[in-house]
Amino acid sequence: MSLPLLRQRAHALADILRSDPDMGVQMRVGVVVFDGVKLLDVAGPTEVLAEANRIGRTDYSLVTLAVGTNAVTSSTGMAIKVDGDLRDAEVDTLLVAGGDRLVGRPIEPALVDAVRDAVQGTPRVCSICTGAFVLAAAGVLDGRRATTHWQHARLLAKSYPEVVVEPDSIWVQDGSVFTSAGVSAGIDLALALVEMDAGGEVARTVAQSLVVFLQRPGGQSQFSPSTSRPRPKSSLLREVMDAVVADPGQDHSTTRMASFASVSPRHLTRLFHAELGVTPARYVEEVRIDAGKRALEQGMTVSDAAREAGFGTSESMRRAFVLRVGVSPRSYQQRFRSTLR
């Protein structure tokens, strides 16, 4: 998509957000559905936007769109009423939901063509989970950064090499196009859209009302290092990893871990590289960041969280968070603290 068109879309969206300062944001949002659509991909983001309406600073008009106007059957077997034909739709934001049928098999041309045509006049385009495959098939993601559910990120990159896939992001913005990871990440993206449209206080109020986490930054990892990396074949390496996860605050230098495993530091480093693709120090840092996140979410101060996670000082933890997470520990706590307290 050309740079002039991107600028035109940005100006169009800005006009929408300025449309009525007294009423707040007024925007027509279309959600693309189809037989087999993942129900949470539809319900999660729309509930966030509807809750923002109830708070009173936004006026999102929510409609479901499909190829044709017949009701569709969701992934749970529940029927979803269709408000309009995608081929005739005029919306300010288009959300393409995901579904298992979009992965590993051809997407019907009618859906791809309808989405391709619809995005041309739409200021903001988003996908939830595997909805990214529809945008990719329509050429919307060519040359763009994007994400999808971590299980399907490799297939997306292989099937559409023009797309710059970021497999470990919860949501990604590239110009006026937004993509998000699996299922519940659609809620994170919707909260981020509300914050962009109506401000952080409205987004926080919505999160509190729905009793969900405050929205995670887009670059936040989809999963923790203890679950994201495959379990190694080496029982020795598994024991070392389990020891780090069990007590990240201990001394986990490469020398100390090698002594624990009764091998040389060089041999331990080779094992980490061969089975995990990282150095021992990088793995320890990932585990400590994960532990630091949990401590912050539980309400610990940054200093206490740093000691609990094994960073030693709050400055060491801050540097690691900024480098690996993209935000400082304090910002992480403010944006991702549980609202259940």
Side-chain angles (χ1 to χ4, degrees):
M1 202 166 293
S2 67
L3 184 59
L5 183 55
L6 284 175
R7 288 173 176 163
Q8 185 178 9
R9 283 189 176 184
H11 290 318
L13 183 58
D15 289 341
I16 292 167
L17 300 182
R18 289 196 299 264
S19 58
D20 191 336
D22 296 325
M23 281 290 294
V25 176
Q26 298 181 57
M27 190 176 298
R28 184 174 171 83
V29 179
V31 183
V32 178
V33 297
F34 44 84
D35 284 330
V37 68
K38 186 76 72 174
L39 185 59
L40 187 57
D41 286 3
V42 179
T46 55
E47 194 63 54
V48 168
L49 301 180
E51 188 66 25
N53 287 346
R54 286 188 281 272
I55 290 170
R57 281 294 299 149
T58 63
D59 182 14
Y60 294 113
S61 176
L62 304 172
V63 294
T64 52
L65 304 170
V67 179
T69 56
N70 294 330
V72 301
T73 302
S74 72
S75 57
T76 66
M78 295 176 64
I80 299 177
K81 180 177 71 72
V82 173
D83 298 314
D85 195 317
L86 175 61
R87 294 167 292 190
D88 303 322
E90 293 185 4
V91 296
D92 305 304
T93 295
L94 190 72
L95 296 175
V96 181
D100 293 341
R101 57 173 288 195
L102 304 177
V103 180
R105 67 193 73 174
I107 303 171
E108 61 266 35
L111 177 59
V112 175
D113 291 344
V115 168
R116 183 185 295 114
D117 291 341
V119 302
Q120 295 305 313
T122 304
R124 185 163 64 189
V125 178
C126 311
S127 67
I128 311 300
C129 195
T130 55
F133 281 81
V134 180
L135 293 186
V140 178
L141 301 182
D142 287 356
R144 292 185 182 279
R145 296 161 42 249
T147 193
T148 188
H149 193 290
W150 65 270
Q151 288 182 319
H152 307 302
R154 183 174 297 178
L155 179 61
L156 181 66
K158 181 179 179 180
S159 302
Y160 302 98
E162 302 87 356
V163 181
V164 182
V165 178
E166 297 188 357
D168 197 28
S169 294
I170 287 177
W171 58 267
V172 172
Q173 176 185 4
D174 192 322
S176 61
V177 178
F178 297 73
T179 53
S180 66
V183 286
S184 63
I187 295 174
D188 293 290
L189 175 57
L191 284 167
L193 297 179
V194 169
E195 182 172 1
M196 293 175 195
D197 296 345
E201 186 58 37
V202 175
R204 283 189 289 273
T205 303
V206 170
Q208 291 168 352
S209 180
L210 296 179
V211 197
V212 297
F213 287 110
L214 300 184
Q215 74 270 19
R216 294 168 284 182
Q220 177 66 41
S221 174
Q222 292 185 38
F223 31 69
S224 70
S226 58
T227 60
S228 65
R229 298 192 182 280
R231 290 289 286 174
K233 297 177 182 178
S234 166
S235 59
L236 182 152
L237 189 54
R238 289 198 300 270
E239 290 179 7
V240 172
M241 292 171 62
D242 290 344
V244 175
V245 172
D247 192 355
Q250 286 297 314
D251 176 7
H252 293 300
S253 65
T254 302
T255 300
R256 180 62 66 89
M257 288 190 291
S259 176
F260 170 80
S262 299
V263 296
S264 69
R266 179 176 295 180
H267 181 64
L268 183 67
T269 299
R270 281 199 298 265
L271 283 175
F272 267 93
H273 273 297
E275 298 219 36
L276 300 180
V278 296
T279 65
R282 175 62 186 274
Y283 177 76
V284 171
E285 182 185 57
E286 289 177 353
V287 171
R288 285 176 171 165
I289 288 174
D290 198 44
K293 291 175 187 175
R294 291 195 301 272
L296 293 170
E297 290 160 17
Q298 292 165 5
M300 286 190 183
T301 66
V302 175
S303 295
D304 288 344
R307 285 192 294 271
E308 177 81 9
F311 285 103
T313 67
S314 56
E315 177 57 25
S316 296
M317 183 171 169
R318 188 195 68 80
R319 287 198 298 268
F321 263 61
V322 170
L323 179 63
R324 304 299 182 192
V325 183
V327 295
S328 69
R330 193 172 303 280
S331 295
Y332 178 89
Q333 188 175 56
Q334 291 171 347
R335 300 186 67 182
F336 193 52
R337 184 171 51 202
S338 172
T339 60
L340 294 175
R341 290 184 293 278

